[in-house]
Amino acid sequence: MTAFEPDQSIANRLTGLQPGAQPPPRRQKTIPGTRDDGTLIEDPGKRAPLVLGDRSFGEVTDIVCGYAEAPMPKPWLALFTITSSIAALGTGMILYLIITGVGVWGLNNQVDWAWDITNFVFWIGIGHAGTLISAILCLLKQNWRTAVNRSAEAMTIFAVVCAGIFPGIHVGRVWFAWMLFPIPNSNAIWPNFRSPLLWDVFAVSTYATVSLLFWYMGMIPDLATLRDRAYLRLNRGISRPFAIPMPVGKDIVLPFMPRPDTIRAFVYGLLSLGWRFSSRHWHRYEKAYLMLAGISTPLVLSVHSIVSFDFATSILPGWHTTIFPPYFVAGAVFGGFAMVLLLLIPIRSILPNFSDLLTLRHLENMAKILLVTGTMVGFAYSMEFFIAWYGANKFEFEVFANNRVNPNVAPYWWAYWTMIICNVVFPQLFWFRKLRQNPVVIWIVALAVTIGMWFERFVIIVTSLHRAFIPGEWHMFFPTWVDILTFVGSCGIFMTLFLLFLKFLPVFAMAEVKLVMPQAHTDDHH
């Protein structure tokens, strides 16, 4: 119940005075008898809408700001408790590793790269979709990116954070990890600049820095909107008191704490850097955003190419191949888009009005990209065999035939065929229109691709190492419980950061979403 009259309550909602108030849902969810939400239009003379429900600019602002302003819902709190507990478990495993040593992992003299580097390459690959969606699609002026670019950018940052954990702890003496950077020191010890591992340090740190700047700059106008709405409620004296959400029963009100809008006004005001929505601010913002998009685009190709050099510059059969750079880049985009779909499809069905901004057309476009990149990855798999055969290197061919494919002699054959089924077979379902327009099918395929991309990195690393040239040096790798729980903990860290992003930061780029709405093009007669 509210203390205001009904007409005053409506007025407050329309002016952003009620934090978290969502506009009413649109009446027609789908076209009767179909799954079409109105965006799956195949008429060349009619452009499919990118925002549903005949929303106004004010309603889009209420929808996006409502997610950050509303009290934390009970399901969010329960899920955050679970993911943060898993993250704490992973942190405990890292501390246990530092105290005890890398002997708690399943590494041996032959397989000295395994679970940890597999996870590093996996998380770096996940982080590529954000840059692709935000930068390349921005330069290509693909308007459908506006529904997913902010979430994908956030996912990029969080995936790079998780990726950076594993090289740091893989060195064994974690307290010497700072020596990876070319910092002058009294011992005159410099890193080996010819090592691909040092290239990783520069590539990943550059990618993380530019991606963070790109993500943060895109949020500045939206943070200023959240700041102004909080100030407006404080000036009107209708701000809610601070309360601790409880899983059961009423929330606990703490009257001695500052009101949430006071905290929002300060934090969002600090982060918005004095943004005042002036024409000069918009002009400089658009130039800087386009400049960062141009800088970020080469990173999509360079970062994972350099990661692939960790393997391709060696002389080890199974790694020493020139196809790795494009193969890794295609696989990174493939796995990154799968993770975007894996995260956003459940959120789309849970959060109110989310499906008005993330439509079936957006999901279908990303499903098409999964189909294209999955086909590219499948082509790379086949070319590995062709190159091994055509190069007449029996050791190279033995790695593929007897270390990976043949179930009779290859101990890790199950991992290889899991990779093939998940990465090559599952995406082929998207040749059928009804399947690539079904959110449930898309989510299942995205889950399979995410699993398959992890197994791809496992197959590349472990099956190439565990059998050396002399049979006496053959050793199997078996992950220990510390290996497994460390990876599970990194997943918990990733999900915890993503949940915090959903709660406290704008999920959609409001200015860009409004720019693709019909109201923004009233003079367009084409």
Coordinates of all heavy atoms in Angstrom, one line a residue, residues 3 12 62 65 71 83 113 125 142 157 168 374 447 459 464 469 481:
A3 N 1.1 5.6 0.6 CA 0.5 6.7 1.3 C 0.0 7.8 0.4 O -0.7 8.7 0.8 CB 1.5 7.4 2.3
N12 N 4.0 9.5 -9.8 CA 5.4 9.2 -9.2 C 6.1 8.2 -10.0 O 7.3 8.2 -10.3 CB 5.3 8.8 -7.8 CG 4.9 10.0 -6.9 OD1 5.2 11.1 -7.2 ND2 4.4 9.7 -5.7
D62 N 12.3 3.3 -17.2 CA 11.7 2.7 -16.0 C 12.1 1.2 -15.9 O 12.4 0.6 -14.9 CB 10.2 2.8 -15.9 CG 9.8 4.2 -15.5 OD1 10.6 4.9 -14.9 OD2 8.7 4.6 -15.8
C65 N 16.1 1.0 -15.3 CA 16.5 1.5 -14.0 C 15.8 0.7 -12.9 O 16.3 0.6 -11.8 CB 16.1 3.0 -13.9 SG 17.1 4.1 -14.9
P71 N 14.3 -3.4 -4.6 CA 14.9 -4.2 -3.6 C 15.3 -5.6 -4.1 O 14.6 -6.1 -5.1 CB 13.8 -4.3 -2.5 CG 12.9 -3.2 -2.8 CD 12.9 -2.9 -4.2
T83 N 26.0 -18.9 -5.2 CA 27.2 -18.6 -6.1 C 28.3 -18.0 -5.2 O 29.5 -18.4 -5.5 CB 26.8 -17.6 -7.2 OG1 26.2 -16.4 -6.6 CG2 25.8 -18.3 -8.1
W113 N 51.1 -29.3 -18.1 CA 50.0 -28.3 -18.4 C 48.7 -29.2 -18.5 O 48.7 -30.2 -19.2 CB 50.1 -27.6 -19.7 CG 51.1 -26.5 -19.7 CD1 51.9 -26.1 -18.7 CD2 51.3 -25.5 -20.7 NE1 52.6 -25.0 -19.0 CE2 52.2 -24.6 -20.3 CE3 50.7 -25.3 -22.0 CZ2 52.7 -23.5 -21.0 CZ3 51.1 -24.2 -22.7 CH2 52.1 -23.4 -22.3
G125 N 38.4 -17.4 -23.9 CA 37.5 -17.6 -25.0 C 36.1 -17.0 -24.7 O 35.5 -16.4 -25.5
Q142 N 25.2 -2.7 -36.7 CA 24.1 -3.7 -36.5 C 23.3 -3.3 -35.3 O 23.8 -3.4 -34.1 CB 24.8 -5.1 -36.3 CG 25.5 -5.6 -37.5 CD 24.6 -5.8 -38.7 OE1 23.6 -6.5 -38.6 NE2 25.0 -5.2 -39.8
I157 N 34.5 -8.8 -18.9 CA 35.3 -8.4 -17.8 C 35.4 -9.5 -16.7 O 36.5 -9.9 -16.2 CB 34.8 -7.1 -17.1 CG1 34.6 -6.0 -18.2 CG2 35.7 -6.7 -16.0 CD1 35.9 -5.6 -18.8
G168 N 48.4 -17.1 -12.7 CA 49.0 -16.6 -11.5 C 49.3 -17.7 -10.5 O 50.4 -17.8 -9.8
G374 N 30.2 -22.4 -35.4 CA 30.3 -23.8 -35.1 C 30.8 -24.6 -36.4 O 31.6 -25.5 -36.3
L447 N 24.3 -24.6 -23.9 CA 24.9 -25.3 -22.8 C 25.8 -26.4 -23.4 O 27.0 -26.6 -22.9 CB 23.8 -26.0 -22.0 CG 24.3 -26.9 -20.8 CD1 25.1 -26.1 -19.8 CD2 23.0 -27.6 -20.2
V459 N 41.2 -31.4 -24.6 CA 41.7 -32.4 -25.6 C 43.0 -31.9 -26.2 O 44.0 -32.6 -26.4 CB 40.7 -32.6 -26.7 CG1 41.3 -33.3 -27.9 CG2 39.5 -33.5 -26.2
S464 N 47.8 -34.1 -26.2 CA 49.1 -33.9 -26.9 C 50.3 -34.1 -26.0 O 51.4 -34.2 -26.4 CB 49.1 -32.5 -27.5 OG 48.1 -32.2 -28.4
F469 N 57.4 -39.2 -27.0 CA 57.9 -40.0 -28.1 C 58.3 -41.4 -27.6 O 58.3 -42.3 -28.4 CB 59.2 -39.3 -28.7 CG 58.8 -38.0 -29.4 CD1 59.0 -36.8 -28.8 CD2 58.3 -38.0 -30.7 CE1 58.6 -35.6 -29.4 CE2 58.0 -36.8 -31.4 CZ 58.1 -35.6 -30.7
W481 N 40.6 -33.6 -6.6 CA 39.5 -32.8 -6.1 C 39.8 -31.3 -6.0 O 38.9 -30.5 -6.1 CB 39.0 -33.4 -4.8 CG 40.0 -33.3 -3.7 CD1 41.0 -34.3 -3.4 CD2 40.2 -32.3 -2.7 NE1 41.8 -33.9 -2.3 CE2 41.3 -32.7 -1.9 CE3 39.6 -31.1 -2.4 CZ2 41.8 -31.9 -0.8 CZ3 40.1 -30.3 -1.4 CH2 41.1 -30.7 -0.6

